Amino acid sequence: MSKPPFEQIVSQHGPMVLRVVRAVLGPHDAEDAWSEAFLAALRAYPGLPDDANVEAWLVTIAHRKAIDAARAAGRRAVPVGEPPERPARTREYDPDLWRALKALPERQRHAVAYHYLAGLPYGEIAALTGGSTDAARRAAADGMKTLRRTYPMEA
């Protein structure tokens, strides 16, 4: 079995990768991390084994790019004269959900994003973030419990 063209990989998994990096980084840095993740994936794609789990591979790359972006953002000074205008609300971006996700501890936020948005099993989340499968399951469960309590739900 041969690998599909890379364009097909982007079309098939691009929205999932964007949801993951948005959940980890927030809406403003997510698109850059998404682009960098797919550029890195494009460079590495020829060497990817035919039977590899492409979804898990992309989430691993996105996770690393998100961490790189978060570290870079932490080092960068951002002088602001006036706060930027609030972006328009779209189906893709829910500021209330982002605020609720951002309030979670990092380990819980990552576990929620990787499990519930990317569909990774807990064992793969543990491999990505460090720790055990049980700790990844607990972090995702704790994160979801907090989100159910703090995220405003529309009736």
Side-chain angles (χ1 to χ4, degrees):
M1 187 169 107
S2 66
K3 293 185 287 194
F6 192 74
E7 294 83 13
Q8 184 178 340
I9 299 296
V10 174
S11 295
Q12 186 176 356
H13 300 287
M16 177 274 302
V17 170
L18 184 59
R19 286 191 302 271
V20 168
V21 293
R22 273 187 182 158
V24 173
L25 292 173
H28 304 297
D29 294 328
E31 291 185 16
D32 288 341
W34 182 90
S35 296
E36 289 181 24
F38 275 104
L39 285 174
L42 177 62
R43 285 190 292 270
Y45 190 62
L48 184 69
D50 289 348
D51 62 343
N53 179 340
V54 173
E55 190 171 65
W57 175 70
L58 287 172
V59 170
T60 300
I61 293 171
H63 169 76
R64 292 179 181 147
K65 292 301 178 186
I67 289 173
D68 291 347
R71 288 179 180 153
R75 293 188 297 262
R76 188 177 23 197
V78 182
V80 176
E82 292 182 31
E85 287 186 32
R86 186 182 177 127
R89 188 177 187 133
T90 66
R91 284 183 71 188
E92 292 288 321
Y93 171 63
D94 180 346
D96 293 331
L97 178 57
W98 166 240
R99 276 190 285 278
L101 277 166
K102 187 177 178 184
L104 294 175
E106 184 175 294
R107 185 171 287 273
Q108 290 179 14
R109 187 172 66 242
H110 290 179
V112 167
Y114 298 147
H115 185 69
Y116 292 101
L117 297 177
L120 292 183
Y122 296 114
E124 290 185 24
I125 295 169
L128 274 174
T129 59
S132 68
T133 300
D134 289 340
R137 180 179 293 115
R138 183 79 251 164
D142 289 347
M144 287 304 294
K145 182 178 176 183
T146 301
L147 285 176
R148 285 186 183 106
R149 190 171 21 89
T150 60
Y151 176 61
M153 302 295 285
E154 295 178 24

